Amino acid sequence: MYFKPGGRRSRIAALLTIAATLLSRWLALVTLAVLMPSRTAMAITPAMDDYAHTAWNGQRGAPADVLQFTQTKDGWLWISSPNGLFRFDGVDFERMDSVYGHRLHTTNTVALLTTRDGRLWVGGRFGGISMIAQDHSRVFNEKSGLPRGMVLTMSEAPDGSVWAATSTGLGVLKPGATRFSQIGKQQGLPETFTHQVLFGRDGRQWIALNSGIYVRDPGRALFRRAWPHINLVAMSEAPDGTLWGSDGIDKHYRVLPDAPPNNPAPHAELGGNGALFDREGNMWILKVNAVERRRAPYVGKAAGARELTRENGMSGALVQSAFEDREGNIWVGTSGGLDRLRRIRLSGVKVDTAFDHPGVIADDRGGVLISDWRRPLRRYEASGESQGLKPLSFTCAYRSPDGALWLSNAKARWRRDASGAFSQIPHPEQIVGYDAQAMTIDGRGRMWISVSRQGLFVIEDGVWRKHGGLRGMPDALALSLTTDGAGRVWAGYVDNQIALIDGERLQMFGEAEGLKLGNVQSLLVDGKQLWAGGVDGLARYDGLRWHGVTLAGRRSLRGVSGLVRTRSGDLWLNGSDGISRIANEEVDRLVRAPGRAAPFERFDALDGLVGTAEQLRPLPSITEGSDGRLWFATASDVASIDPSTIARNPLAPPVQILSLLAGDLRYEARSELRLPVGQRDLRITYTALGLAIPERLRFRYKLEGFDQHWQDVGTRREAVYTNLPPGDYQFHVIAANEDGVWNETGATLKLSLPPRFTETGWFILLMAAAALALMAGMYMLRVRQLTARVQERMQERLAERERIARGLHDTVLQSVQGLIMLFERQVRNLPISAAQRREIEQTLDLADGLLAEGRDCISDLRHDSEPGDLDHSLSQYGSVLLRHRFSSTVSGASVPLCPRLRQEVTAIAREALFNAARHSEAKQVALTIEYRDDGFALEVRDDGCGMPAAILDHGKPRHYGVVGMCERAMAAGASYTLDSAPGQGTVMRLEIPAEYAYAGRSSAALFARLRERRRAAVNAA
């Protein structure tokens, strides 16, 4: 960095100290001024046209009266001014009263320094220095040993010590020290106004004081006065080690550690009041109302001086400082603001006045031929040299395979051979006055030429034939022509048409063949394929059809009027959006996958391009020289670039997250942020510190925990999220510079969005518990309602049962009891044998048992009773009914059945046994009872006469035994089958699952059945 020490005040002090000298010379100066011509009559230094210049005069919060610059390791550009300290990311200025959370000791700042350890040092106009690191800060003042007064400049020594030049003296802070030490008489220096400290490449230390420049050799303790012995207040060292000193007004001298022999009078070799040497060795001289750039040897015409002045846009009249950032940009601080000078990639052809729609065609000697409506034909080289050739202008040009250049306009054609000689061929009289649009030569050596408002002609043996005698040729204007490797002619027309002329054959292409270009303004043969550029973009022909080309990022591609495929394979286009380059590997990918979007590089006004490509004439708007340099024509300029030496920025831009806005609250970015409860809408601002072309910085971000993929947001510098769910997130942003170099590390911010109480797990559990309680309450209420209804129905059933029981007792049982008593009296009076009496008594015992069971049934209708042993009672019942024809079998351990179920099973079994005894005429009836783990089974089988199908299905009329068995089985949840056929006996089988049959055995039976079903499914599979 160079700073003209002290600004206006320091210059006043310097003027006072040299007032005597100026007074002695004023007469000579007046005389010289009279003899010198005015500035308007002098040769004006050319403008700096190989740099892009941007000035800030208060826009976007830019400071005025800029004094010094520095750049910290994180990429921020820091700017001091009397109005405060500012930082700049290339887009926005921000006034900083505190840095990294540490407050500055002053808002009137002058000196700036960034030391190698990354700390920022800020010196104040009224004294004091703020030293700021990320995690701590400190203020140095007179109590800390710092000389009082304005801190003009600060410098870091090779050993890491910090030297501070103030308006009263010089101080140094040694590494590890907590206090400054003052440097003065003990070291051989006068204690006076100190401007600057400089450490030379040779190890010498130079000090600029009001009384001149002093030097100390390496290893020495004392300073001595350097030569020349005059007041010099600013120093800068050239790459060759030469030290230049300025008097602070308008003279630069070479400074030597010792006076040359005979101590000659000093001679000012350059003007200016300060200087900066950049990394390329250029010397930037600060002047009043200008900054001048010179190349080595810096003196004379060989320096190639160029100027940026107030007249061509500099921000202020008084130039006060210059600085080079890490990307090579030059920053100039002025009284009105600041300026940035950046190398541009395109070199413009230097002319006194702008071109008027120039045409370009490269020759075979590394130059380019240019003509326009105002100038005759001239040849230009990249060095800037030019040569007049011929008083003509052309509207189209063509380089033939034999190396000859063809030029044409509305009057004639010219052929320039390899020796440079021109020959003229006039147009036919009917063609004169109409501009030539395009030319090419086919495989038979015939020239095809397109003429505005006249059409396409073929010239053979001096004869012009319209359309070459072919039928079906469009009458529209052919904007572009080319010849492929097979000698065929391709013609691009307005209205999205391309014609292929192969001898006497014609083939037309349009939208049906995939062409969607609008006016076809340029054609390029590329081996076996053809490229076409038009108003609506770019297309490629693969031999079968046309494929449109889209650019990555959905960037536009319009008005393509020039196409070149360079030796390296890159495809260059000149169009309405600027110059575009598609790299060779991307071109190959387009050939393999026509539908993919092609990554590209864009060159436009930021690279020095003035205007856009011509859209009508002269075409094409791009040409490639024999040396590989490309030349581009716009409406008023011609620019060139050497594709092999394009300057690239290898530095990935540092990325920083600036702030987070949640609701109405703004938070400075830290590594972690926990937001208040309920904040769900976020706006995160971030930046990247690329100062060269910040307009081309690209960003991607991702909110980990929410975004599934990276969000490619182009140049946007903020991320917006709405209605985020509570949780922990990490925001990650990365950036790429103008050359696509990505900072993959980027910056991160951890975010914690605490949930509202209604979003917490406790609330969810509470709501779940409340829901369960509500469901339980509703269930209990429902159970109570159902219980009441069941009790009501039970009361009704009990009343009905009691009525039936009374009726049975008073009618049936009493009648049966009377019959039994009557039968007993009759038996006593019968003369029967003892055996017959025993049988009758057994029958009577059975009748008594049935009567007892009847009473039990009646009692059961009134009250629930515990049933007896099922298999014993049924066996006894069958034995009495069937005697020797009956047999019973019981398998499994006897298990009591559910009481209600036992009644139904007993009734079904008795009905089956009774039917077998009464109707089957069976010789054998078998009762089988099975107690299984998975259920209960009962079977009654006889070998009798069987039942007809009608009785089997519906029973006998007015008899309900069969129907009753089925109904009882269904009510019990049993599986009931009754199989019979006439003459084949009858089988009644009853099966009841364990969960219905046995009390307390339902779960085990259910699981057993599920296992059986699963086993059956597996076997079936």
Side-chain angles (χ1 to χ4, degrees), residues 159-406:
D159 64 356
S161 58
V162 174
W163 292 71
T166 75
S167 58
T168 62
L170 179 64
V172 59
L173 181 68
K174 295 293 184 179
T178 59
R179 291 180 53 84
F180 274 83
S181 302
Q182 296 198 18
I183 306 296
K185 294 179 180 180
Q186 293 183 353
Q187 291 80 23
L189 289 177
E191 296 178 0
T192 183
F193 199 110
T194 306
H195 296 278
Q196 186 183 0
V197 179
L198 187 147
F199 295 91
R201 293 180 177 85
D202 58 1
R204 289 190 175 100
Q205 183 179 6
W206 305 81
I207 311 292
L209 307 171
N210 253 3
S211 56
I213 294 178
Y214 286 73
V215 62
R216 181 167 65 175
D217 294 323
R220 297 298 182 90
L222 298 179
F223 289 87
R224 67 182 185 278
R225 192 170 188 184
W227 186 89
H229 301 152
I230 58 176
N231 293 331
L232 300 175
V233 298
M235 302 176 293
S236 54
E237 185 181 24
D240 61 1
T242 301
L243 188 74
W244 292 84
S246 170
D247 62 0
I249 302 174
D250 196 25
K251 290 184 176 62
H252 264 94
Y253 299 84
R254 294 180 191 264
V255 180
L256 303 176
D258 298 294
N262 301 323
N263 191 19
H267 170 64
E269 300 183 61
L270 296 171
N273 51 47
L276 167 76
F277 288 92
D278 66 20
R279 66 189 62 178
E280 295 179 357
N282 298 311
M283 183 179 189
W284 297 83
I285 300 175
L286 281 60
K287 297 181 175 182
V288 176
N289 204 36
V291 59
E292 181 181 84
R293 187 211 65 192
R294 288 175 169 265
R295 298 190 178 97
Y298 312 121
V299 179
K301 291 185 178 181
R306 295 286 187 272
E307 274 190 347
L308 173 67
T309 66
R310 185 70 183 276
E311 286 76 13
N312 51 33
M314 193 170 65
S315 62
L318 190 61
V319 182
Q320 302 183 137
S321 61
F323 174 78
E324 183 182 22
D325 66 23
R326 69 189 195 122
E327 295 171 90
N329 305 300
I330 302 299
W331 297 85
V332 179
T334 72
S335 56
L338 68 158
D339 300 77
R340 180 187 64 199
L341 290 163
R342 172 180 50 80
R343 280 280 191 184
I344 57 177
R345 299 175 177 181
L346 295 168
S347 301
V349 174
K350 299 175 178 61
V351 291
D352 296 335
T353 58
F355 288 108
D356 185 358
H357 297 84
V360 294
I361 183 69
D363 64 11
D364 57 356
R365 289 176 288 177
V368 63
L369 276 61
I370 305 175
S371 77
D372 67 342
W373 298 111
R374 298 180 180 179
R375 291 178 179 81
L377 185 66
R378 294 186 68 85
R379 181 180 181 275
Y380 295 83
E381 295 184 357
S383 62
E385 299 293 329
S386 65
Q387 173 190 6
L389 295 180
K390 201 152 185 77
L392 66 90
S393 62
F394 61 86
T395 57
C396 70
Y398 169 69
R399 183 189 298 174
S400 64
D402 61 2
L405 296 182
W406 288 85

Side-chain angles (χ1 to χ4, degrees), residues 291-616:
V291 59
E292 181 181 84
R293 187 211 65 192
R294 288 175 169 265
R295 298 190 178 97
Y298 312 121
V299 179
K301 291 185 178 181
R306 295 286 187 272
E307 274 190 347
L308 173 67
T309 66
R310 185 70 183 276
E311 286 76 13
N312 51 33
M314 193 170 65
S315 62
L318 190 61
V319 182
Q320 302 183 137
S321 61
F323 174 78
E324 183 182 22
D325 66 23
R326 69 189 195 122
E327 295 171 90
N329 305 300
I330 302 299
W331 297 85
V332 179
T334 72
S335 56
L338 68 158
D339 300 77
R340 180 187 64 199
L341 290 163
R342 172 180 50 80
R343 280 280 191 184
I344 57 177
R345 299 175 177 181
L346 295 168
S347 301
V349 174
K350 299 175 178 61
V351 291
D352 296 335
T353 58
F355 288 108
D356 185 358
H357 297 84
V360 294
I361 183 69
D363 64 11
D364 57 356
R365 289 176 288 177
V368 63
L369 276 61
I370 305 175
S371 77
D372 67 342
W373 298 111
R374 298 180 180 179
R375 291 178 179 81
L377 185 66
R378 294 186 68 85
R379 181 180 181 275
Y380 295 83
E381 295 184 357
S383 62
E385 299 293 329
S386 65
Q387 173 190 6
L389 295 180
K390 201 152 185 77
L392 66 90
S393 62
F394 61 86
T395 57
C396 70
Y398 169 69
R399 183 189 298 174
S400 64
D402 61 2
L405 296 182
W406 288 85
L407 312 175
S408 183
N409 57 20
K411 297 179 180 179
R413 289 176 293 150
W414 283 266
R415 184 179 184 276
R416 181 175 183 257
D417 59 25
S419 66
F422 283 88
S423 57
Q424 180 179 359
I425 308 172
H427 288 341
E429 182 177 351
Q430 66 272 21
I431 301 299
V432 172
Y434 298 98
D435 291 327
Q437 177 69 36
M439 292 183 293
T440 190
I441 296 177
D442 65 15
R444 294 163 56 181
R446 302 179 301 174
M447 174 168 280
W448 293 78
I449 184 168
S450 173
V451 180
S452 65
R453 291 181 289 172
Q454 296 298 306
L456 180 63
F457 295 86
V458 62
I459 306 174
E460 189 172 12
D461 297 330
V463 178
W464 291 51
R465 282 191 303 149
K466 190 171 184 179
H467 297 162
L470 297 176
R471 294 184 179 180
M473 291 286 288
D475 288 327
L477 175 64
L479 295 172
S480 54
L481 295 170
T482 192
T483 302
D484 63 18
R488 301 176 300 178
V489 173
W490 295 79
Y493 288 87
V494 297
D495 298 328
N496 196 48
Q497 294 184 93
I498 292 179
L500 171 58
I501 304 170
D502 185 5
E504 304 303 323
R505 291 180 298 175
L506 173 67
Q507 183 178 358
M508 296 299 300
F509 300 92
E511 187 170 355
E513 290 74 31
L515 194 67
K516 297 179 180 179
L517 294 179
N519 297 340
V520 182
Q521 301 171 139
S522 55
L523 295 168
L524 172 66
V525 174
D526 184 16
K528 295 182 179 180
Q529 59 188 358
L530 186 76
W531 299 89
V535 171
D536 297 328
L538 176 69
R540 181 182 63 87
Y541 182 65
D542 61 3
L544 297 175
R545 65 179 290 106
W546 292 89
H547 302 278
V549 176
T550 58
L551 299 183
R554 298 181 180 179
R555 295 288 298 276
S556 60
L557 186 59
R558 300 169 299 175
V560 179
S561 61
L563 291 167
V564 165
R565 186 91 187 264
T566 62
R567 300 164 190 171
S568 63
D570 296 347
L571 182 64
W572 289 78
L573 306 85
N574 193 16
S576 300
D577 301 301
I579 300 166
S580 302
R581 182 187 73 93
I582 302 176
N584 178 48
E585 57 271 17
E586 300 300 335
V587 176
D588 292 340
R589 291 191 183 101
L590 279 177
V591 174
R592 295 193 299 269
R596 71 185 303 272
F600 71 104
E601 183 178 16
R602 178 66 54 80
F603 299 83
D604 52 25
L606 295 173
D607 303 282
L609 182 66
V610 179
T612 59
E614 179 58 63
Q615 299 296 297
L616 180 59

Side-chain angles (χ1 to χ4, degrees), residues 795-815 854-855 857-863:
Q795 292 298 328
E796 294 175 355
R797 292 179 63 185
L798 287 174
E800 181 65 16
R801 289 169 64 179
E802 289 178 357
R803 185 186 66 79
I804 295 172
R806 286 194 300 269
L808 290 174
H809 181 272
D810 295 340
T811 56
V812 177
L813 290 184
Q814 293 294 342
S815 300
R855 290 195 182 98
C857 287
I858 293 172
S859 177
D860 193 36
L861 285 173
R862 293 179 175 271
H863 307 284

Side-chain angles (χ1 to χ4, degrees), residues 100-120:
Y100 308 135
H102 308 292
R103 193 163 186 84
L104 296 173
H105 78 284
T106 181
T107 57
N108 194 334
T109 58
V110 178
L112 293 177
L113 173 67
T114 300
T115 50
R116 288 187 291 273
D117 58 9
R119 293 181 293 177
L120 176 66

